Structure formats: C-alpha cells, structure tokens
Amino acid sequence: MAGDLTPRGGHATRTAAATAVNPGATGHATAWSVASGPRGRAASSNEWRKRLEIAFFVAPALLLFALFVVVPVVQAARYSVFKWNGLGPLDDFVGLQNYTNALADTIFQRAITNNLTIAALSIAIQLPIGLLIALLLNRKFRGQTAMRVIVFVPYVLAEVVAGVVWKLMLQPEGAVNAFLETIGLGAFTQLWVGDSGVALWTVMAVLTWKYVGLAIVLLLAGLQGVPEDLHEAAQIDGASWWQAQRKITIPLLGPTIRTWMFLSMIGSLQLFDMVWILTKGGPDNATVTMATYLIKQGTERSQYGYSSAVAIILFVISFVLATLFQTFVLNRDAGEDKTAKRRKKVAR
Amino acid sequence: MKRTAALRAVALGAAVALIATACSSGGGAEEGTDGEGENVTLTWWHNSNNSPGKDYYEDLADEFEGDNPGVTIEVTALQHEDMLTKLDAAFQTGDHPDIYMERGGGELKAHVEAGLTKDLTDELPDTISALGTAVSGWQVEDRTYALPFSLGVVGFWYNKAMFAQAGITTPPTTTAELDAAVEALRSAGIEPVSVGAGSGWPAAHYWYYYSLRQCSQEALNEGTQSFDFSDPCWLRAGESLQSFIATEPFNTGFLGTEAQGTPESASGLLANRKVAMELAGQWEPGVMQGLTDDGQGLGDDTGWFPFPAVDGGEGEPTAQLGGGDAWACAEDAPAACVDFIEFLLSNDAQKRFAELDMGLPTLPSAAAFVAAPELAQVLAVRNEAPYVQLYLDTAFGENIGGAMNEAIVSMFNGNNTPQGIVDAIQAAAANE
C-alpha cells in the first residue's frame, strides 16, 4: 500500500509495463527477457534500442516540462534581480534588492504568516473531521454510496464556482446571516468577509468545506488496505469499535495520512483561487497569501521584477518544506516498507 | 526494410521542406503588399462592447474607411477590464493594437518611457489646442501623447427620494452639511453612503478629494509632481477623512464591498435603493442601469452634487477630481493612425458621442449636445472648475498609486494614520 502511494513505485511500474508491451523488431523480446538473456552484440543493440525507446517516450513530457516549468522558473529568477515594470528592456539591475524589499515588507510577512497558519489549521481541522467521517463511512450502512458522493461533491466543484457561491452567501445580507437569523442565532451574524478580524477564519471554514472531501476519499482508499481479519480478531478479544479504530485502523492509515498532509501543506502554501474570489486578500490585507500578494504586485502594480522575487521566495519556501517533509516524514514510510520486505525475506 | 525506412525519411524531409517553402513564400507575398504602402490595416481596441457605443464606433470606422481608400480598420470591442488586461499583456509581448485607449498619468509615462506611444504634439496641433486644458493629463514633459475624448469628474450620486424622506431639501455644499445629511439619513433609518473599499480606489477617492480641498494648487503640484508632502495640508486631508469615517456614514461591510459589477457592490447598493449616496464618477448612471432589473438605475430619482467644500481648506472649493479616456497611437503605427485619431476627435464625432450620452465630451463645441440632465450638470461643474486634478493613483502610476490606495483603505479599517498614508506614498516613490 505504502509503496503504491510513493511516486517512485508508481513510475517504476508504469515504465516497466510500457517497455514490456512494446514488441521490438526482432520479435517479442522484451526488456525483461533481454535483461535475463545472454550478453552479446544483440543484447547491446537491444540495450540501445531500449534507451531510444525511453528517450522517444519521455521526450514530449520532458519538452513540455522544460517549456512550462523550467523555463518560467529560470525566467522568474532572472527578472527577480531587475527593477522592471513589464515594459521595455531589462536594464535596471538591482541585485538582491527585490528580495530584501519583499522580506522587509510587512504585508508580505503577513502573507507568509497567513500561509503557514492556513497550512497548520488545515491539518489540525481537516484531519480529525476527515478521519472521523472516513471511519464512519467505512462501515456498511444504507445510503453509504450516496453519503460518499455528497461528502466528495465540494472537492469536485470548480474552485471558482464554489468561491462565487460562497461569496454571495457570505454577504452582509446573504444566505448565511439570513439562516442564522431564522434559527434564532441572530447574535452570531457577522461581516464574514468584510471584517478584517473574521475574514481569515471565514476563508478557513470555506477551505475546510472544500477540501475535507479529499481527505475523506484518500482515507477511505487507505482503509481498503486495512485487513478485515485484524478487526475480527480484535472483536474476539473484546475490543470496542473505537478501541479497534484507535489501536489498529489509525496506525495502519499512517502512510495515507502523511501523504494527505503533504498535499494539504503544499496546497495551503500556494493557496490562491479561493482567497482571490472571496476577499482578494482583503479586507485591509487580512487574508493576503503569498500567491495573492504576488499577483497583485505583478498585474495590478506592474512590479514584475519585484513579484518575480516574491515568486522565487514562494518557490523556495515550498521546495524546502516539501523536501523536509519528504525526508523526515514520507521517507519513513518507504523505510517501513523496505523493512517489512526484508523481514519477509528473513522469514522465508 | 531499411530501404523503405530511408525512403520514408527522404519523403518526409521533402514534405517538410515543401511546407516550409510554401510558408515562407506566403509571408513574402504579404510583406510585398505592405511594402507598396497602398493598403494599410489599422488595429483598434475600444471598450464599448454593447450598443449604442459599439455601433457608434463601427460607424466611425466605416466612414473613415470610405474617406480613405486603402485603409482598413480592424475594430475589436472589449469589455473594459478585459481590455486593460489585454493591453498590458499586448505591450509586454509587442503585439499591440495601433490605436488604443490611454488613461494618462503614470501609466502613460511608463508607456512613453518604454517608447510605445507616438508623440502627437507636432502632428495634430490644431486638435490639441481645440481641446485646451483637457489634454494636460496626457502630457509628459509638455509633449502630448494622446487625445482625450471623454473627461469626467467625481461627485456624489444620490437618491433624491431618500434625501426627501430624510428631510434634506438641498444637497450638502460643505462638509458640515454633509455630516448633517449623514445624521439625518441615519435617523430616517437609511444607510447613508456606500463605498467599495474592497476595490481600493473608491475609498481612496475620499482622501484625494480632502487633499484637493485642504491643499492649495501649489502644494498639490508639489506633492503630485515631486512627492514633496511637507505641506501640513496633506496631514489635514487625512484628519478630515478620519473624522468623516468616525461619523460612520458607510454601508455595512464596506471594507469587503466591491466598487461595481454586482447588486452587492457599492454601485449596486445605490442602484437598488439600499443606500442614499455614493462618491463616484460620471460613469455611475450607466453602471447603475446595468445593475437594476428594469435597466433604469435610479431613473428620475438620480441626483448629483459636487464634493463639498472643507472649512479652512486652502484648495479651491470648486476644483474637481477626475480623469478620462484618450486615444493614442502606438509608436510603430502607420501614419494613417494619426489621421484616424484626428477624425475621432472631430466636431462631428464628438457631437455624436455627446448625443449618445456615452460620456462627457472634451471638445467645447460638443458640450451642448449632452442630453441626460444629470450628465449635463456634471459637465457644467467640470467646465467651471478652475482645475481638474487627475485621480492621484493614475497620476502616480500603478505602483505608487497602489501603495497609496492600500494605505487609505487601512485608514478606513482604523489601522492607519494621516501620517501613515503620506509615509506609504513616499516609501513607494523611493523604490521607483
């Protein structure tokens, strides 16, 4: 299970499959049979053929990756050391000035804080909710499929559509306040997106509604890998449902939870659409994120050099956090997997 | 087998070569036509994407084509915001239209510095002098780069019925009377003013106007030309705004309210009779019409009064804040572009523009043809103003203007001081 979730495992499987179904000119000699066949001229020519095939199939993807990922990142790095309003030639070299200006800017500092807060809160809020709902939905009951669909719908909805609907509902005279009035909770009506003390929490609530479905679906998939007989054994030993979940299911869900945490963290750092639609980073920068800040500085204030520096900072922060997470958290799962295999070998 | 593959490769190569040749010869033919100078195609982007404006501009293009054989005008009508975004991108890629709309100030300056906009000073001296002081917002170092076809001013649009309901018989002419009106409206259970602080600039217009009233024209010029804000009038402007905010005149949730576009926006609240007034430009009646079900906006209840005088202010009480739209030619546009712009600013074209109530025409000869009474009133106030100050954010350009607007919104949120606004402008200017 854990092996399937890591990208490395997935890729290896796919490459092997692609090579295997590709018959060579000399018959049906596949990579597998070549590897185990006798070494010689034919083998080495096949080796070359294999490499060419790989190059042939990888080239388009590599080209697109270079064109749409590598080139823009390099360009952004280049722009970031110039003062540039988007017009005319790049001739005002300012070195690291844009970086120091960005890091000293109180609004950008606030954006970083907001992003980290959203990342931490997403995990702290969505994990318990997601876990609880996944555990409940994993039990067999009538309407189980319907419930799963309902829970997953917000995640499938386009971010822009969901954002616009929520924005309308969160207006001072919108549906949310009207609903609170109707059920006698008039005292709790708020300026949901118009009050700088409340707006970030509102955004957080909408994000939870939107993304908890993903956590649930991933966790439900993870739950399929938890063997039923362990539960039966626990039941026979007299464990309650909750004890069984706590001692057996949740620990076995570890790799899934950690993968979801990784996705959630990266998503939170790059958060843009929902905030842009709900608040545009306002009111008074209360909900500004690194991405909304960089778009505003670029498109509204025409500071393309400066916003490129911000983009690079965002890239570095995401990259560092992703690497740390990969090294200290996700690799542990890969490690566990290897240990398990080794144990199996020893047992044989 | 090998031979077949080789043959295939040769065939493929030949095909590629043929296609390449075909392409290049096609390109050559086109260049030839251009080079002869008989046929010229002008590309033109404007922002009147619905009738009657769209038809008006199409008619103008047809008439010009009729009078100038060989000239073809490719008209693209875009929604305003789309046009601005597309223009920005077009200038960056170099694939921009020949004729486009300039809003003046810092934006124009950036275009001129990048060598993108044609200098019209020596090309159209007669039209420039006919436009008079209206062109000042489109000049950089005394050279004129674009010709304004519409120039409006900002003032209070209000609901006459609501004012009457609150017992306000004459619109406020001083800030004290404005405060009293706010009070009267609140007492009558009416939300007095809407402001789209979520969009930034609508809130910022208040600070611009208080600056215009508090500062003499010299101090205003010192600030806007050389970022010298040492005159204490700039702080008094912030203080005036602070005390106006303290009277709580604005709509519920104004910090998150957008300028226009939806019924919940500041314009939408006025159009749908949720508030009594809004500080906005000459575009407001048109915007409101789009935000009501019957397409009438406030209809007969539409009223307008200029921004009131400020007690003790050093500025002219009748000076106005405004801005407009002008036609410009790209630096590399064909010569016919200049002729077309001259045609767009002709007496006849401006007269028809005025008759359609598309905006406030800039040629004095066209002023008499504005039909809508409230627009005629705005036009009269504009023409009587000793000077019309270009919106400060446009004047300063996008970066400094953006920093200023954010600082002002922060004051609306109670998080900034009069000094903080001035500091924010100077800090952004220092980074230019």
Side-chain angles (χ1 to χ4, degrees), chain A residues 48-130:
Chain A
W48 270 106
R49 187 177 203 98
K50 190 174 130 195
R51 281 181 199 166
L52 269 175
E53 273 175 359
I54 291 173
F56 180 76
F57 286 109
V58 167
L62 214 56
L63 191 74
L64 289 177
F65 182 76
L67 206 61
F68 294 106
V69 179
V70 180
V71 172
V73 169
V74 172
Q75 282 284 52
R78 189 167 142 247
Y79 293 153
S80 74
V81 288
F82 288 90
K83 182 168 280 177
W84 188 48
N85 66 359
L87 304 168
L90 276 181
D91 51 12
D92 193 357
F93 183 80
V94 292
L96 295 179
Q97 186 73 45
N98 286 330
Y99 289 89
T100 49
N101 284 354
L103 293 171
D105 187 276
T106 48
I107 299 172
F108 185 57
Q109 289 166 2
R110 191 166 186 178
I112 298 177
T113 316
N114 280 349
N115 274 118
L116 295 177
T117 311
I118 290 167
L121 285 179
S122 293
I123 291 170
I125 297 172
Q126 290 174 28
L127 184 59
I129 299 178

Side-chain angles (χ1 to χ4, degrees), chain B residues 118-210:
Chain B
K118 204 188 268 290
D119 182 351
L120 302 173
T121 321
D122 302 327
E123 308 260 2
L124 300 171
D126 295 343
T127 314
I128 291 171
S129 73
L131 287 167
T133 52
V135 295
S136 60
W138 289 268
Q139 289 177 326
V140 179
E141 288 164 4
D142 293 330
R143 308 294 293 176
T144 306
Y145 290 88
L147 302 184
F149 58 92
S150 177
L151 188 65
V153 295
V154 171
F156 278 101
W157 293 91
Y158 73 99
N159 183 329
K160 285 180 182 168
M162 281 184 168
F163 268 44
Q165 195 189 328
I168 306 164
T169 47
T170 50
T173 56
T174 64
T175 44
E177 286 174 23
L178 180 66
D179 290 349
V182 165
E183 183 65 42
L185 287 160
R186 279 260 183 247
S187 309
I190 299 166
E191 213 154 51
V193 190
S194 65
V195 62
S199 298
W201 57 265
H205 278 175
Y206 280 90
W207 190 80
Y208 305 167
Y209 248 131
Y210 280 114

Side-chain angles (χ1 to χ4, degrees), chain A residues 83 86 107 196 284 301-302, chain B residues 92 398-399 410 413 415 431:
Chain A
K83 182 168 280 177
I107 299 172
S196 56
D284 191 14
R301 309 234 330 230
S302 289
Chain B
Q92 282 160 24
E398 287 164 329
N399 181 32
S410 204
N413 194 21
N415 285 339
N431 264 330

Side-chain angles (χ1 to χ4, degrees), chain B residues 260-306:
Chain B
Q260 45 190 249
T262 65
E264 292 77 23
S265 64
S267 298
L269 291 174
L270 181 63
N272 292 296
R273 299 166 197 272
K274 299 274 175 63
V275 301
M277 59 179 139
E278 190 202 354
L279 184 64
Q282 74 290 347
W283 59 79
E284 189 68 359
V287 169
M288 285 199 291
Q289 281 162 11
L291 294 173
T292 50
D293 293 337
D294 59 3
Q296 295 296 309
L298 281 179
D300 291 341
D301 285 334
T302 312
W304 187 85
F305 63 92

